[in-house]
Amino acid sequence: MATYEVLAASHNTLDVGAFFLGGLLIAGALVWAIHFGMKVRDQESPRPLPEEQPHLPAGGAVHEMREMREPDEMPIATKEGSG
């Protein structure tokens, strides 16, 4: 009867070991991905400073204007790209 218990324990040990190795593989892949992302980010151009960011115009935010146009006001595009 002891043989069955040893086999059952061995089977559980193999399952636990397989899950542990799988977890290590996933953790290693995540660490590699973070390291790779940091290397790529270091190669990019630096971000603009707050002073270099665009600012709102003096009159405030620009709003969209809708208007109805007559068909003859619209340019006609051709295959060559000129209208």
Side-chain angles (χ1 to χ4, degrees):
M1 193 76 167
T3 308
Y4 293 115
E5 291 176 16
V6 171
L7 287 176
S10 296
H11 184 56
N12 280 344
T13 305
L14 289 176
D15 286 346
V16 169
F19 281 117
F20 182 73
L21 289 177
L24 280 179
L25 179 69
I26 291 172
L30 289 172
V31 168
W32 176 84
I34 290 171
H35 179 68
F36 180 74
M38 289 171 56
K39 280 181 20 182
V40 167
R41 194 169 189 179
D42 287 342
Q43 293 174 358
E44 293 177 352
S45 59
R47 293 185 174 167
L49 299 173
E51 307 78 55
E52 299 171 339
Q53 297 289 337
H55 300 286
L56 283 174
V62 179
H63 298 284
E64 182 178 326
M65 183 189 324
R66 292 178 175 239
E67 48 183 45
M68 297 295 291
R69 298 183 90 179
E70 295 297 323
D72 59 344
E73 294 181 27
M74 299 295 292
I76 298 173
T78 60
K79 287 191 178 203
E80 291 81 35
S82 60

